[in-house]
Amino acid sequence: MGAESKVPQHIAIILDGNGRWAKQRRMPRGYGHIIGCQNLEHMCNVIKDKGVKYLTVYAFSTENWKRSRDEVEGLLKLFRQYLKRCMRSAKKNKMKVRIIGDPSAFPQDIQDSIRLLEDCSKDYDQMFYQIAMNYGSRDEILRGVTGMIEDARAGKLPPEGFENGKLKEELFERYLDTAGIPDPDLMIRTSGEQRLSNFLLWQLAYTEFCFVDVPWPDFHEEELDKAIAQYNSRDRRFGGVKEE
């Protein structure tokens, strides 16, 4: 990366292609997820070293439950291992970790690990790491609306959250899983697919997209640098106004 390259404050990544990567090597899909998880640990360090403040990754969607039982069980086993390792990584990197999505669908031991990880890292501020698990953006928005309706019935909605009788975006965003986190500047999806797959639909409204052909296990620092360079080559505009 060039010396004048501007590093995005917040990068979001759809970790795609683990199963296909394994299939190309005549290995079970679970092997691809294992290697993909190892790469995530490595790339998290690389991304932090680049100066990125926020990283959000799509690890398990609400639709992933439809995969084969063996694959889902393998992913759950991997989550159990990764969440424990993530505690060490969070401490080492002074990294605050937040799980976005609905964890209530996971087995109790995974829910307990999530709470422990979030609690032990809650005071760190060197990097902010969001892992989307049992996450779907439509589900997130519906849960947010439900929470807001409940608060409205209880008379808890602040009057400053409205302007001329209309709900302000800032108030609604408090009910999203990403409350308090800036929207991504750059979204990267690996493995060649060019769709969002129900990922951060609200938050990606003004985000730059980068779709790369390499599967996630092969996405390394060189590919990250290319994505950031592509980001820097674009004129960032918001409503026709160029970002300074």
Side-chain angles (χ1 to χ4, degrees), residues 56 98-102 130-135 177-178 199-200:
T56 302
R98 182 193 296 190
I99 306 302
I100 62 172
D102 181 7
Q130 293 69 236
I131 309 172
M133 294 174 58
N134 193 33
Y135 174 88
D177 296 345
T178 54
F199 182 52
L200 300 178

Side-chain angles (χ1 to χ4, degrees), residues 47 84-85 111 136 142 147 158 160 172 185 190-191 213 239 241:
I47 289 169
K84 292 177 181 178
R85 293 199 301 269
Q111 295 183 49
L142 289 174
E160 63 271 19
F172 178 63
D185 302 291
T190 56
S191 201
D213 290 332
V241 179

Side-chain angles (χ1 to χ4, degrees), residues 154-173:
K156 296 180 180 179
L157 291 184
E160 63 271 19
F162 297 83
E163 185 174 2
N164 298 323
K166 295 180 66 176
L167 176 69
K168 290 184 179 179
E169 288 186 6
E170 292 81 6
L171 176 57
F172 178 63
E173 287 173 347

